[in-house]
Amino acid sequence: MDQALDKAIKVFSERGFHASSISDLTQAMELASGSVYKAFKDKRAIFIAAFDRYKSVRNAQLDANISQGITGREQLEHALRFYANSAQGEQGILGCLVVSGTTELLTFDDEIALKLKLSLAASENMLKALILRGKEDDSIASTVNEEIVGTAILCMTQGMRVVGKTGRSSQEMQSVVDAALKMLG
């Protein structure tokens, strides 16, 4: 099932929810229509399962990247480079399920809206915690306001995923990370 959901993630990320048909999904998932409807009630249920899978995989990847750093600043830099790598080349063009879901579904579906809001809040809290950790270990200037800068960096990372759909290079996305790190003193 995870392999089928990974294929559905790709369809939803590339096309968005509304432009993805059941036919697109069944073909990509390599399942017969009957099997899809047996496993999922409708396209919305496929999206929710795909979103949950996407967040689980991405969070594990992000955590692995963050753990490579020792100081709060290094951990934050690893997180930002993870986002930058996701926003360039083929993966950047593919897009982000959180961004596409937010732009398409936030005002139309309360359950999905809650999932999206919680996902973004968790990302923002993680960024703020890494900044605070850096302030505590003196790798980030004590004058940095983790609330404001954390929110600014969240906006930057999500914006990177939008801009990445246009086919940005690794160098362009890494330059954005370098600029963000300057906010940390």
Side-chain angles (χ1 to χ4, degrees):
M1 186 55 70
D2 286 345
Q3 290 176 347
L5 287 173
D6 290 342
K7 292 172 184 174
I9 289 167
K10 186 174 181 185
V11 172
F12 284 128
S13 294
E14 283 178 332
R15 300 178 186 175
F17 178 81
H18 295 300
S20 298
S21 69
I22 287 289
S23 175
D24 296 332
L25 292 163
T26 56
Q27 183 177 0
M29 296 168 78
E30 299 175 5
L31 298 172
S33 295
S35 298
V36 171
Y37 283 114
K38 194 174 199 178
F40 306 99
K41 181 170 80 174
D42 53 19
K43 181 171 77 167
R44 181 182 175 278
I46 298 170
F47 180 86
I48 290 171
F51 182 83
D52 291 343
R53 167 82 177 150
Y54 177 80
K55 287 304 300 174
S56 174
V57 169
R58 293 281 299 170
N59 286 344
Q61 293 169 338
L62 179 59
D63 290 345
N65 276 270
I66 290 170
S67 70
Q68 294 174 21
I70 296 170
T71 66
R73 184 185 190 96
E74 290 172 352
Q75 291 174 338
L76 181 59
E77 182 174 352
H78 283 285
L80 294 177
R81 299 232 182 261
F82 173 78
Y83 283 109
N85 288 334
S86 299
Q88 56 87 31
E90 187 177 321
Q91 188 175 6
I93 292 169
L94 177 62
C96 172
L97 205 55
V98 174
V99 170
S100 67
T102 301
T103 57
E104 278 194 279
L105 300 170
L106 195 67
T107 58
F108 298 110
D109 188 302
D110 291 340
E111 181 184 359
I112 294 173
L114 180 60
K115 284 180 170 292
L116 294 164
K117 289 176 184 179
L118 290 173
S119 174
L120 289 170
S123 295
E124 184 173 12
N125 290 335
M126 176 269 301
L127 294 166
K128 290 175 181 180
L130 292 175
I131 294 168
L132 187 57
R133 187 174 303 146
K135 287 172 62 173
E136 291 168 353
D137 67 25
D138 294 323
S139 62
I140 294 175
S142 63
T143 56
V144 171
N145 182 318
E146 65 272 5
E147 294 294 320
I148 294 169
V149 174
T151 301
I153 291 175
L154 173 73
C155 293
M156 181 208 67
T157 59
Q158 298 309 297
M160 287 169 63
R161 298 306 309 270
V162 172
V163 172
K165 295 259 317 163
T166 66
R168 296 302 177 111
S169 71
S170 176
Q171 183 179 354
E172 289 173 299
M173 292 295 103
Q174 296 302 328
S175 294
V176 174
V177 172
D178 296 338
L181 292 171
K182 290 180 181 175
M183 288 191 283
L184 305 175

